[in-house]
Amino acid sequence: MDAVTTADRACGVLLGLACGDALGVPYEFDLRRLGPGESPAMLGGGAGDFAPGEWSDDTSMAVAVAEGLRIGHDLPTRLDAIARRFLDWYHTSPPDVGIQTRGVLDGLDADLPHLGAAMSTRAVVYAKTHPHAAGNGALMRTAPVALAYLDDRGACAETARAVAALTHADPDAADSCVLWTEAVRRAVAGGGIDVASGLDLVPEPDRWRGFLDEAASGDLARFTPNGWTVRTLQVAYGAILRSGHRLEDALTLAIEVGDDTDTVAAVAGTLLGAHHGASTLRQEWVTAIHGWPGYTATTLSDVALSLMR
């Protein structure tokens, strides 16, 4: 395995996520639509009235995951740290917070001992009282887990599931995170794009194989609305397949579908960045991206490399 190539791919995970996120922001929930032959641009605005190039909650929460994973060596300690960073971000009153994430984080005391467990308990309560609790808010932020466990497939899946459960207790949310994180881990390691490679890590592999097969053909527009984590995965995966794994084409296809465009593009950008590497991203995108907590592309790359090490 070439270390330079692996490092470039690791940086591509977070930079691809942030670029997809910032490209999708202006078009979220159809506030703006791409015209025929039009390419997405980092125009800002969107549901959170973001600045041009500013990323949304997708990347901000992924940063919180990445920073938490650098603390301690055991999973409970890392989950406590991630939960605390979630609250650090939430207490800045971000302009765009998912309904389910807000429902779990709102009013939670950051000084609680075993904060990760307390947050996960609130997520279970939320899931029991809300019949549609498999939103895409966990999938959008899951990629840093792959970088922290590049050489440990089992621990990668276990951690992805636990990080998802901090706010999203529904099994679909956890399983989608396990599948996508394993795909990202495999891509960074030079194994190409193969989302089905993680089917043995989820309890219902045949069901998820059906979802992947469904995404491989037909009109992607039928996967709207795409706030359900399964639909987000299908749009992202379907766009990647239809583009022939070409990053810019895939992001355009994902955003053209509409609805939760920043998240579907962030998810697609994560895997494509892991596959192609940061050096293949358009430089004007990389220069433009920024967001909480005052980070730029350079900071994201530093975070990615520190996780890989």
Side-chain angles (χ1 to χ4, degrees):
M1 186 187 303
D2 186 284
V4 175
T5 299
T6 303
D8 188 39
R9 287 173 172 157
C11 293
V13 171
L14 296 189
L15 294 185
L17 186 158
C19 286
D21 184 359
L23 283 169
V25 156
Y27 312 94
E28 187 178 20
F29 304 128
D30 302 327
L31 294 174
R32 182 192 298 265
R33 293 302 300 260
L34 285 180
E38 183 182 358
S39 296
M42 296 182 182
L43 304 173
D49 195 22
F50 293 97
E54 184 178 7
W55 59 65
S56 73
D57 57 333
D58 303 68
T59 307
S60 294
M61 295 196 79
V63 167
V65 171
E67 292 182 338
L69 287 171
R70 294 191 293 178
I71 295 175
H73 299 285
D74 62 290
L75 184 53
T77 298
R78 289 175 168 175
L79 292 174
D80 286 346
I82 293 168
R84 193 159 288 109
R85 285 304 272 159
F86 283 172
L87 290 176
D88 289 344
W89 163 74
Y90 184 68
H91 291 156
T92 66
S93 298
D96 188 14
V97 183
I99 294 172
Q100 185 168 345
T101 297
R102 185 186 298 277
V104 173
L105 300 187
D106 199 46
L108 187 59
D109 184 357
D111 294 324
L112 283 173
H114 311 298
L115 182 60
M119 187 174 289
S120 297
T121 298
R122 291 192 65 162
V124 170
V125 172
Y126 185 95
K128 287 181 177 179
T129 54
H130 294 77
H132 302 291
N136 57 22
L139 180 61
M140 70 187 193
R141 67 182 192 231
T142 193
V145 175
L147 300 179
Y149 297 93
L150 276 179
D151 298 321
D152 193 334
R153 187 173 185 265
C156 183
E158 177 190 6
T159 305
R161 190 173 296 280
V163 171
L166 286 171
T167 55
H168 290 64
D170 189 283
D172 282 350
D175 290 347
S176 67
C177 288
V178 169
L179 284 174
W180 207 257
T181 305
E182 171 57 18
V184 170
R185 189 197 67 80
R186 178 186 175 93
V188 173
I193 291 179
D194 184 3
V195 179
S197 65
L199 286 172
D200 63 305
L201 298 169
V202 297
E204 299 179 282
D206 290 341
R207 177 172 178 258
W208 281 94
R209 186 180 297 279
F211 288 142
L212 296 181
D213 290 345
E214 188 180 25
S217 61
D219 187 358
L220 286 178
R222 73 189 191 280
F223 299 131
T224 54
N226 42 53
W228 181 30
T229 192
V230 174
R231 292 288 180 251
T232 296
L233 185 150
Q234 288 178 309
V235 173
Y237 181 50
I240 290 170
L241 292 178
R242 285 160 180 74
S243 70
H245 300 178
R246 293 184 298 274
L247 189 143
E248 294 189 23
D249 291 347
L251 295 182
T252 299
L253 287 171
I255 292 169
E256 280 179 344
V257 172
D259 200 44
D260 202 353
T261 50
D262 59 333
T263 297
V264 294
V267 172
T270 296
L271 183 52
L272 288 164
H275 177 60
H276 293 295
S279 59
T280 65
L281 292 167
R282 189 183 292 188
Q283 189 57 43
E284 66 188 76
W285 294 352
V286 174
T287 301
I289 54 173
H290 66 282
W292 182 90
Y295 283 2
T296 64
T298 299
T299 327
L300 289 182
S301 294
D302 290 343
V303 170
L305 293 175
S306 70
L307 273 180
M308 189 182 72
R309 288 192 291 266

